[in-house]
Amino acid sequence: MKFKTVGIKSTIALTSAALLVLAAGCSNNSNGNAAAGQNSAGTGTSSASPKNSTDVASSSRLKLWLGKSATVNNESLIQQYWRTVEPGVDVQVEATQGDAVTALNLKLNTGGFEDAAIFDRNQVVNDAMKRSNLVQPLEKYFNMPEKYPNLASIPKEYLDQMKDADGHIWSIPSWFDTNPSAPWPGWSSNAWFIRTDILEKVGMTENDLKTLKGVGTYLEKAAQLKDESGKRLLPAGILTDASDENTVLATFGVTVASAGGVTPVQKEGENFIFQYDNPGFKAGYKWMNSMYRKGLIDPEALTDKKERYKEKNKSGRYAMNIGSFWNFDGSLWEQLDGSTAPGWYYKPIPFPQVEGVAQLGATQIVNPYPGFDTYISKNTKNLDAILKFYNYTLTPKPEMNHIVNEGPVGKYWGWIDQPNGKWKFIDPKYKELRNAGDPAKKAQLTPELWMTSNFSNQWYAWWTYGENDHAGQAKTAQFSQQIGQFGSTRVAKDYDMVKVKAGGAWEKYLPELGNVYKEYRAKLMMAKDDAQFEQAWKDFTSALEKRAHWSELKQEWSKLYQEMNNK
């Protein structure tokens, strides 16, 4: 039921993988939203009795090609509503089969798509679309408030950023915050998590965990306890396969996230600091190494995959977890109604204080800028239908993306207490199919085109869902909201969005940069003593230069940043 971002999460290790996808021309970025609705339209058609498109005498048509795979049912209830009521457009969705870049190249080399294509924002895709000469510029349609008022209401800073050297805008932007100055913080998930039952057993309180020293004491005490099966507890779990060590690095003041940029960067005064150059990077690994040598970090932290990590969490093996709660498996608490399993006791705590670190590094960059782009074929015969549909989906109100995803208020869902408060599904059949966990059943209801809309900090649907089947289901949203206040989440700056240059050093060396990091991450964490750690650090910095051309990458980044700001 929840969409979780991703969104654009970025550590150097993850950035490497992300760039491989970027170079391929496509990635799936959901960024985690789905809000709610307006315009009551009665009880609606039962989900068991869909209509056919022939039931509508006059409906303009739009064929929308998705730059991703999806389960498609073009007679879904929401599509029926769009066709017959509002906005009066017959939206037919076509999903990508197989590799998206192969599909894109094939489309562009065989005449292009019929009407419109939506991709998550990607410079490679944008360049390919422009070079194809098969799409049309759209800037004039954002200046027609009488005909397309909601397209005209798109924040000017978003549109200005999209203009090319000739002033053309080649796509309709979507999935942006309607208020860029106070954006929705997203699904913040990276933190330090304790088991409150274990904390109580060792005779400590959350106040004792405010510093790293206190955390160390907790781990030492927890290491003496046993779980329900009689095995000694694992003090701390860190899933390095998902780069959860970044939460430790952020605690030491290292920014490990970007907003679609090629690498994490933080600014101090007039200087930019890259994560491998930050003194906190080495200090963070020094701390992890000391914990590892004491047996206070799971010895399998560097080899476990997510499924194994989830199994350990489910059986209550850890006293503390450091990283993203998405990696634990939310079902650990979401399927509970009380303290019947270890998952009930998970709780995020503020990042422990590190001496000499005044500001946490960013684990999440809040990017209010558009996350998706819709390109329109210059040969489409349905231009007005496309613009009409997007003028509808981009209505600037907090619940609009939920309306797009689930229909208007009063049809399949409604408010429990007040508008922009708690809500619930009001159609039993719709709720049953929606929550069945079966993509084919969900496709009967909605094409899930939330990404064609916008979002807002004023209201977020999946933080305010009011009819959870289990008490624990509310915990995930609560965790996210708490973590967003810990200080490791901030709004994007221009330097967080420096993109890779085709044919440049970043495109050439970024994969090897990721390889170097992963190789020495293990050596740094597992060093047997201080001398071995220092040697591993020396070898790491040498490999950054020799294999990954670190200085050259930073020089190119500075040039790209200057060029971006001189547009």
Side-chain angles (χ1 to χ4, degrees), residues 377-390:
S377 169
K378 69 177 185 180
N379 297 317
T380 182
K381 297 179 181 179
N382 300 303
L383 177 61
D384 186 63
I386 299 168
L387 298 174
K388 184 179 180 181
F389 178 69
Y390 276 88

Side-chain angles (χ1 to χ4, degrees), residues 559-567:
K559 183 178 180 181
L560 292 171
Y561 174 71
Q562 291 175 2
E563 290 175 352
M564 182 179 76
N565 283 279
N566 289 333
K567 281 186 177 181

Side-chain angles (χ1 to χ4, degrees), residues 439-456:
K441 290 181 178 179
K442 189 186 292 186
Q444 294 178 41
L445 309 178
T446 172
E448 295 195 283
L449 293 185
W450 51 267
M451 75 290 291
T452 64
S453 190
N454 47 45
F455 55 92
S456 169

Side-chain angles (χ1 to χ4, degrees), residues 15 133 189 203 219 245 347 404 458 474 497 501 532 554:
T15 303
N133 198 33
S189 66
L219 296 178
E245 74 280 359
K347 183 179 181 180
V404 171
Q458 295 179 32
M497 295 181 272
K501 177 182 179 181
Q532 192 176 80
K554 290 186 290 184

